[in-house]
Amino acid sequence: QVHVVESGGGLVQAGEPLTLSCAASGSIFTINDMGWYRQAPGQQRELVATITSGGTTNYADFVKGRFTISRDNAKNTVYLQMNSLKPEDTAVYHCNAQIRVRFTDRYFAVWGQGTLVTVSS
């Protein structure tokens, strides 16, 4: 009944910026935390950044001030602004949202299909 869709990935050169978007839709009652995770080739999935419904953010150490997570609650959308991209940032970036479905008291961890970011040197 609910799903999220990522967009904005692509091929960029090292040092350039890129912004990812993740929009939730369906029978949504409320959305709690939202976040971005990534999985590089041959690596396990890792947390990039999270943001609460109130706007409190948390970042992985490797971001080093390069990435910024934000959300627009009116649009049910979370963003990831990525600056000073490095080749090691190459990965499939997945969006996660904790969504309460209408007519239920349960939150569901909803994952998107992912968007590929490739950074060339």
Side-chain angles (χ1 to χ4, degrees), residues 11-60:
L11 175 62
V12 299
Q13 298 183 46
E16 296 185 344
L18 191 67
T19 299
L20 307 181
S21 299
C22 171
S25 61
S27 300
I28 299 172
F29 186 75
T30 57
I31 302 179
N32 197 5
D33 294 354
M34 304 183 80
W36 289 95
Y37 299 74
R38 72 185 188 186
Q39 186 168 23
Q43 304 294 321
Q44 62 185 17
R45 188 178 64 188
E46 61 185 352
L47 185 149
V48 176
T50 61
I51 184 168
T52 69
S53 60
T56 300
T57 59
N58 179 57
Y59 296 94

Side-chain angles (χ1 to χ4, degrees), residues 31-92:
I31 302 179
N32 197 5
D33 294 354
M34 304 183 80
W36 289 95
Y37 299 74
R38 72 185 188 186
Q39 186 168 23
Q43 304 294 321
Q44 62 185 17
R45 188 178 64 188
E46 61 185 352
L47 185 149
V48 176
T50 61
I51 184 168
T52 69
S53 60
T56 300
T57 59
N58 179 57
Y59 296 94
D61 290 340
F62 61 76
V63 172
K64 296 182 180 296
R66 298 183 297 125
F67 296 175
T68 301
I69 188 172
S70 62
R71 64 191 288 169
D72 185 336
N73 290 330
K75 297 181 178 180
N76 293 326
T77 300
V78 63
Y79 307 93
L80 185 67
Q81 174 65 51
M82 310 165 69
N83 296 317
S84 301
L85 283 165
K86 307 174 181 179
E88 51 263 44
D89 293 319
T90 295
V92 175

